[in-house]
Amino acid sequence: MDDLGGWLRRLGLEQYEAAFRENNVDETVLPSLTAEDLKELGIGSVGHRRKLLDAITALRAEASAPSSLSDAPLETDKAAKDTAVH
């Protein structure tokens, strides 16, 4: 994730950036936020909380997925070995 403000702007929820910053919510805290946390941050709209929770879930999934960059060298090495054998 780039920066928190950019992430919120992409969601159309930039009005909450100050609340996140005032409460020390950063990219390390963000993935563990709950609906109750969002209420405490002053996000009163159920729709906005739901949108944020869905985006946080997507961030968690993205973080746990293997990076294609880290897989690339393995594939290259495997291809090189396959070529060398033939």
Side-chain angles (χ1 to χ4, degrees), residues 1-61:
M1 176 172 77
D2 324 291
D3 67 309
L4 184 63
W7 182 78
L8 287 167
R9 280 189 291 284
R10 284 191 299 281
L11 294 173
L13 300 171
E14 60 275 359
Q15 68 268 37
Y16 300 116
E17 184 176 356
F20 275 61
R21 294 201 188 284
E22 289 165 10
N23 287 279
N24 301 308
V25 175
D26 60 17
E27 63 276 351
T28 62
V29 175
L30 187 64
S32 61
L33 289 181
T34 66
E36 191 60 37
D37 294 330
L38 295 176
K39 283 181 190 177
E40 287 184 36
L41 286 168
I43 302 168
S45 165
V46 172
H48 287 178
R49 284 197 305 269
R50 186 73 259 156
K51 196 172 192 179
L52 283 162
L53 289 169
D54 289 347
I56 289 167
T57 300
L59 280 179
R60 282 189 207 123

